[in-house]
Amino acid sequence: MSDNQFSLMYGKIPTKSFVARDYIVDDIFNIFNSDSPSIMTFAITGVKGSGKTVLLRSIVNKFSEKKNWLTVDLNFKSNLVVSLADKLLHA
C-alpha cells in the first residue's frame, strides 16, 4: 500500500485509520428499501481519497446480500447498454 493518503485504492476497505460510515450505508439502504422511497438518487461527492468508492462498495455489498435486489457493476469504458443487458440476461 502506498504512503500517499491520496492514492487510489479502488474500493478496498482500509484496515486502519478510516471513518466508520455504517450509518450512511444504513440510511441509504433503508430509504431505497422502503415501500415508497422519498429519495430516488444520491450523489456521492468528495475530494480525491475521501472514501467515495469505499462507501459505494459498502452500499453495493449491503444490497447484494438481499435476494430481492440485483446489483450490476458497469465499466464506463465499455458500451453501458450492452453491458447492462448482458449482466441482466445472465443474472
Side-chain angles (χ1 to χ4, degrees), residues 21-90:
R21 295 187 176 114
D22 294 338
Y23 67 94
I24 297 172
V25 173
D26 290 341
D27 284 349
I28 291 173
F29 178 81
N30 290 334
I31 288 169
F32 277 134
N33 211 35
S34 69
D35 289 336
S36 33
S38 58
I39 301 171
M40 301 301 289
T41 60
F42 285 88
I44 298 175
T45 63
V47 297
K48 182 179 177 182
S50 63
K52 299 176 297 292
T53 304
V54 173
L55 176 61
L56 184 58
R57 179 57 44 206
S58 298
I59 294 166
V60 169
N61 289 344
K62 183 153 186 155
F63 279 101
S64 295
E65 295 170 358
K66 303 300 177 187
K67 291 183 180 183
N68 60 337
W69 280 92
L70 173 67
T71 61
V72 178
D73 290 327
L74 296 174
N75 184 333
F76 73 93
K77 294 179 181 179
S78 63
N79 184 317
L80 294 178
V81 174
V82 172
S83 295
L84 177 60
D86 182 60
K87 293 190 183 203
L88 291 173
L89 182 65
H90 296 100

